[in-house]
Amino acid sequence: MRIAIFNQKGGVGKTTTALNLGAALNRSGNPPLLIDLDPQGHLSSIHGKAPLDANQSLFSFFQEQHTLRELEVDWEHIGRLIPAHQQLIKVDSIFGKGPAILNKLRHGLDALEESQPDRQCLIDCCPYIGVLALNAIFACDCLIIPVSTDYLSLQAADHITRTLQVLEPVMKRRVNRYYLLTRFDRRRRMSDDVRNKLRERYGDDVLDTVISENVTVAESPSLNQDVFRHNAGSTGAHDYRNLLGELVERGSLPVTMR
Ligand SMILES: Nc1ncnc2c1ncn2[C@@H]1O[C@H](COP(=O)(O)OP(=O)(O)OP(=O)(O)O)[C@@H](O)[C@H]1O
Ligand SMILES: [Mg+2]
């Protein structure tokens, strides 16, 4: 299964969710492949060995110099990573917006998965709609849309929903999506307000799991760690374990939990 984590609003917890859902999968005995599809390369920085050479990054896949398999690197305690490079920012201008480029990641993953059909794949997207994010949307089986609990995030959730409505006739399928509340603060009424509004609009597509505002989640990237390694007993670890459990229960991650 391929899950893309996307919202064109910045700082809502996309990378944090890719990292910690990836770690939760690994701890359940299902090490995933993480793809850093963001020229900012935040996920690759947390991995700790972001490539200096664009030729060792996802950029080189778009340039047809390497296959996805050739770009994978190990990520201890998580699984595997295909790292990003700032050159990815050029993909839009170099390759245009034709159907071939928009389906490139999908075809690359089809080929990669022939030998590893049971491995789960998480794609950390950049915070804007362009060729990169469209590649993720075209390639994925399901989208996680992190929505941080503030009012501007609600607008951003509506925006991406409208974008999907435009894309779906082109893709000839409905993109399964889950809205995930992040940075949830139970002490603030706004958090409940945003959750209620999101449920009114998107019903069952809103996950029951919420990711709380949590210091362990915020600190762990600076130590090149996921939330479980930093503090497996933290609220953040608990939340991301629940997220995995709910996605498995809803049939969007077909894994057996260890
Ligand atoms: N649940 C949380 N509790 C506390 N801090 C969090 C939480 N989730 C994310 N953060 C912090 O918020 C900031 C933004 O998170 P993150 O980088 O995951 O967002 P993003 O959507 O990937 O951003 P961008 O759009 O720039 O890629 C980071 O400093 C991260 O550590
Ligand atoms: Mg990010």
Side-chain angles (χ1 to χ4, degrees):
M1 204 56 110
R2 303 170 196 162
I3 297 185
I5 303 160
F6 178 62
N7 187 333
Q8 65 276 58
K9 186 169 188 313
V12 294
K14 294 181 286 295
T15 302
T16 304
T17 297
L19 171 73
N20 293 315
L21 181 58
L25 270 166
N26 184 57
R27 290 172 80 92
S28 75
N30 302 282
L33 170 67
L34 268 51
I35 298 184
D36 189 350
L37 196 57
D38 184 354
Q40 298 180 102
H42 289 160
L43 193 61
S44 309
S45 305
I46 299 170
H47 170 265
K49 293 194 193 100
L52 296 173
D53 180 0
N55 199 33
Q56 299 304 315
S57 79
L58 193 58
F59 182 66
S60 124
F61 165 72
F62 283 99
Q63 282 192 309
E64 302 209 334
Q65 284 172 355
H66 284 108
T67 62
L68 291 176
R69 179 183 314 285
E70 289 166 338
L71 295 168
E72 282 187 24
V73 293
D74 275 330
W75 194 342
E76 209 187 349
H77 308 291
I78 304 237
R80 305 272 279 173
L81 169 74
I82 298 181
H85 189 277
Q86 60 198 19
Q87 294 274 18
L88 275 173
I89 197 90
K90 293 186 181 162
V91 167
D92 273 83
S93 56
I94 297 178
F95 300 107
K97 287 197 169 55
I101 189 68
L102 297 184
N103 281 298
K104 186 150 180 63
L105 185 62
R106 182 162 73 88
H107 292 144
L109 284 170
D110 287 348
L112 183 63
E113 284 168 6
E114 274 173 22
S115 57
Q116 277 172 290
D118 296 331
R119 185 172 61 167
Q120 310 305 317
C121 172
L122 304 178
I123 307 169
D124 180 25
C125 296
C126 51
Y128 51 85
I129 275 275
V131 170
L132 293 172
L134 288 170
N135 259 274
I137 294 170
F138 280 44
C140 74
D141 300 300
C142 146
L143 268 183
I144 292 181
I145 304 168
V147 180
S148 60
T149 33
D150 56 78
Y151 287 110
L152 290 177
S153 275
L154 267 178
Q155 283 180 19
D158 291 342
H159 187 183
I160 178 162
T161 309
R162 283 195 299 274
T163 304
L164 291 174
Q165 279 165 357
V166 173
L167 290 176
E168 281 169 342
V170 181
M171 298 169 68
K172 299 188 176 62
R173 66 177 172 104
R174 181 179 191 271
V175 182
N176 288 333
R177 84 269 333 234
Y178 295 120
Y179 300 84
L180 170 68
L181 285 156
T182 59
R183 311 203 68 160
F184 195 88
D185 185 345
R186 285 178 173 75
R187 292 165 306 182
R188 281 190 309 180
R189 213 178 61 204
M190 188 171 66
S191 287
D192 279 326
D193 283 355
V194 171
R195 173 157 60 180
N196 292 339
K197 289 210 165 62
L198 212 56
R199 280 188 176 153
E200 274 166 29
R201 288 175 206 184
Y202 303 116
D204 203 35
D205 287 340
V206 181
L207 291 167
D208 292 331
T209 304
V210 298
I211 308 297
S212 305
E213 179 74 25
N214 179 253
V215 67
T216 314
V217 173
E219 278 173 2
S220 49
S222 65
L223 305 167
N224 301 105
Q225 287 181 355
D226 59 80
V227 70
F228 298 94
R229 284 247 296 148
H230 188 32
N231 182 353
S234 63
T235 304
H238 174 265
D239 291 346
Y240 276 104
R241 210 176 295 115
N242 281 350
L243 174 62
L244 172 60
E246 186 172 358
L247 291 170
V248 172
E249 213 167 86
R250 285 178 179 243
S252 290
L253 276 174
V255 296
T256 342
M257 305 274 278
R258 194 173 60 194

